[in-house]
């Protein structure tokens, strides 16, 4: 079992719909959770982080964390073609090291 | 506040040659990380510095790889006797500290191709 698991996709969503991306992790001691977006050939860029159970909203993005079930999700409302990218989930296992999922490829269809 | 910078952006080399990459972190960030990423995979941790001290190095990392951060500012990653399997994107990231300050910000990466 991988430490951080994501469905590789591709996940295809119509423009304007809600895209839902999921990530599960194995270490119950994980404290910090991050979502990064990566366009093809580019480096990862931070979308948002979450530390506490519940929801965190930032514009069209909402991160949801459920530590009891060991999953974190990212919702993208009003999806745009520019949201088409690979979304990487990263979990903080200690105070510095992040464990990364392999990413979910998201395609927004106009 | 300029972001993380990396040089060169692309490097093509022949097998057996040595290569060196440079990373300049965000100025107030004392933590610096090197990752390697291949197609379809997430970033793979290579090594981590806090100021000038190298605190962690991946056990999977070959002895051909070495990294330095001599004055706690920029860092270099050297790969000796390159192999075709070293072809990848090499990413550098920096962060301010721990807890909520542990968010890592990435540079544009150096794409290495070993022929």
């Amino acid at each position: 079992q991988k430490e951080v698991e994501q469905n590789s996709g591709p996940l295809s969503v119509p423009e304007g719909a809600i895209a839902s991306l999921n990530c599960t992790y194995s270490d119950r001691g994980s404290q910090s959770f991050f979502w990064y977006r990566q366009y093809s050939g580019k480096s990862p860029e931070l979308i948002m982080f979450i530390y506490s159970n519940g929801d965190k909203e930032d514009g069209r993005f909402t991160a949801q964390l459920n530590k009891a079930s060991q999953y974190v999700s990212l919702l993208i409302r009003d999806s745009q073609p520019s949201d088409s990218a690979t979304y990487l989930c990263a979990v903080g296992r200690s105070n510095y090291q992040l464990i990364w999922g392999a990413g979910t490829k998201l395609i927004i269809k106009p | 506040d300029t972001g993380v910078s990396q040089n060169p952006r692309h490097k093509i080399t022949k097998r057996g040659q040595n290569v060196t990459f440079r990373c300049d972190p965000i100025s107030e960030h004392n933590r610096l990380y090197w990752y390697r990423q291949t197609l379809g995979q997430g970033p793979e941790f290579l090594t981590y510095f806090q100021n000038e001290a190298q605190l962690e190095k991946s056990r999977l990392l070959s002895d051909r790889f070495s990294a330095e951060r001599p004055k706690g500012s920029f860092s270099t990653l050297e790969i000796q006797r390159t192999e075709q399997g070293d072809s990848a994107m090499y990413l550098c990231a920096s962060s301010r500290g721990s807890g909520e300050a542990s968010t890592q910000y990435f540079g544009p990466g150096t794409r290495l191709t070993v022929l």
Side-chain angles (χ1 to χ4, degrees), chain B residues 10-68:
Chain B
H10 303 274
K11 179 70 178 179
I12 300 174
T13 191
K14 293 182 178 179
R15 189 176 55 187
Q17 298 294 305
N18 299 343
V19 295
T20 299
F21 309 141
R22 174 175 170 133
C23 171
D24 287 86
I26 294 171
S27 58
E28 66 268 27
H29 286 188
N30 63 353
R31 299 186 177 198
L32 186 147
Y33 314 79
W34 284 101
Y35 294 91
R36 176 173 62 191
Q37 187 178 27
T38 54
L39 196 63
Q41 300 298 314
E44 175 194 1
F45 172 79
L46 296 179
T47 191
Y48 153 69
F49 290 86
Q50 183 167 327
N51 299 313
E52 66 275 9
Q54 186 175 20
L55 298 186
E56 181 90 7
K57 184 176 176 179
S58 171
R59 287 169 293 176
L60 302 177
L61 202 59
S62 159
D63 289 344
R64 297 183 296 105
F65 288 70
S66 62
E68 294 182 339

Side-chain angles (χ1 to χ4, degrees), chain A residues 36 38 43 46 51 95-96 101, chain B residues 31 37 56 99-100 104 107:
Chain A
Y36 286 79
Q38 187 172 28
S43 62
L46 179 73
Y51 293 89
N95 69 344
Y96 67 86
Chain B
R31 299 186 177 198
Q37 187 178 27
E56 181 90 7
E100 293 199 11
Q104 297 182 20

Side-chain angles (χ1 to χ4, degrees), chain A residues 2 8 32 34 36 38 40-46 49 51-52 88 93-103, chain B residues 9 31 33 35 37 40-43 45 48 56 89 91 97-109 111:
Chain A
K2 293 182 180 179
S8 62
S32 54
F34 302 83
Y36 286 79
Q38 187 172 28
S40 180
K42 303 295 185 182
S43 62
E45 57 177 324
L46 179 73
F49 58 83
Y51 293 89
S52 303
L88 296 165
R93 191 171 64 179
S94 65
N95 69 344
Y96 67 86
Q97 189 170 349
L98 296 182
I99 307 302
W100 295 80
Chain B
R9 297 290 303 278
R31 299 186 177 198
Y33 314 79
Y35 294 91
Q37 187 178 27
Q41 300 298 314
F45 172 79
Y48 153 69
E56 181 90 7
M89 175 79 89
L91 297 165
S98 59
E100 293 199 11
S102 65
T103 301
Q104 297 182 20
Y105 297 89
F106 284 83
R111 181 166 296 283

Side-chain angles (χ1 to χ4, degrees), chain B residues 60-101:
Chain B
L60 302 177
L61 202 59
S62 159
D63 289 344
R64 297 183 296 105
F65 288 70
S66 62
E68 294 182 339
R69 194 182 183 198
K71 296 183 180 180
S73 57
F74 72 92
S75 175
T76 58
L77 177 69
E78 181 183 17
I79 309 174
Q80 296 181 326
R81 305 181 302 282
T82 52
E83 302 173 356
Q84 288 185 326
D86 297 331
S87 295
M89 175 79 89
Y90 289 83
L91 297 165
C92 176
S94 68
S95 70
R96 275 194 296 117
S98 59
E100 293 199 11

